[in-house]
């Protein structure tokens, strides 16, 4: 366990790289799976909604490259000790990341609420909020 000097944060990770990997995976699970289901419903419920194949291919290629770079850096090049995860800069950075994720989720919810409200009012697509 890592215990910060302020006594506020305890983790059960192997080292600081595991914390960074967990943060990265949390972001991508939300962005790739949770948000699309919240915004558009389950894939089998999306009648009439399509996406160009090129967009999907380019997104896949970008994410493949991004995952490779992050995994190579965290798995091979990054050298963090267990004590580094309790350092002030790491804790502050992790708190900023958590605040950013929370803000992202809250803004997504505000946009989705706008979309639901405009659909209830029967407004057209040009007047509706689209993320």
């Amino acid at each position: 366990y890592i215990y910060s000097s302020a006594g506020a944060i305890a983790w059960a990770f192997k080292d600081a790289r595991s914390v960074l990997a967990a943060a990265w995976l949390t972001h991508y699970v939300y962005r790739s799976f949770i948000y699309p289901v919240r915004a558009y419903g389950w894939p089998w419920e999306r009648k009439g909604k399509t996406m160009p194949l090129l967009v999907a291919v380019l997104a896949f290629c970008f994410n493949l490259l991004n995952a490779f770079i992050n995994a190579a850096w965290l798995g091979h090049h990054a050298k963090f000790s267990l004590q580094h995860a309790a350092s002030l800069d790491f804790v502050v950075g992790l708190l900023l990341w958590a605040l950013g994720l929370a803000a992202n989720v809250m803004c997504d919810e505000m946009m989705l609420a706008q979309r639901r409200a405009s659909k209830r009012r029967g407004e057209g697509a040009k007047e509706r909020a689209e993320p």
Side-chain angles (χ1 to χ4, degrees):
Y1 284 91
I2 300 169
Y3 193 74
S4 71
S5 59
I9 299 173
W11 289 294
F13 289 102
K14 181 180 172 187
D15 59 15
R17 295 181 305 173
S18 300
V19 176
L20 292 173
W24 188 81
L25 285 170
T26 300
H27 165 75
Y28 272 92
V29 165
Y30 176 75
R31 262 297 151 223
S32 299
F33 299 108
I34 297 170
Y35 174 76
V37 170
R38 289 183 66 212
Y40 306 108
W42 295 99
W44 52 85
E45 295 173 348
R46 298 180 198 166
K47 294 176 178 46
K49 295 181 180 179
T50 61
M51 178 181 12
L53 182 60
L54 181 61
V55 171
V57 169
L58 291 175
F60 178 80
C61 291
F62 168 78
N63 282 299
L64 192 64
L65 179 64
N66 192 29
F68 172 77
I69 290 170
N70 278 288
W73 183 77
L74 284 174
H76 182 68
H77 300 293
K79 303 295 182 217
F80 293 121
S81 67
L82 194 58
Q83 292 76 23
H84 182 73
S87 67
L88 182 62
D89 60 338
F90 191 86
V91 171
V92 168
L94 197 58
L95 288 174
L96 286 173
W97 170 84
L99 285 172
L101 181 65
N104 192 292
V105 171
M106 287 187 329
C107 289
D108 286 346
E109 180 54 36
M110 290 182 341
M111 286 191 302
L112 293 171
Q114 273 186 329
R115 182 189 292 174
R116 288 188 296 266
S118 66
K119 281 184 180 179
R120 281 193 301 269
R121 290 190 304 265
E123 295 175 355
K126 289 183 180 180
E127 299 169 26
R128 190 171 62 225
E130 293 290 338

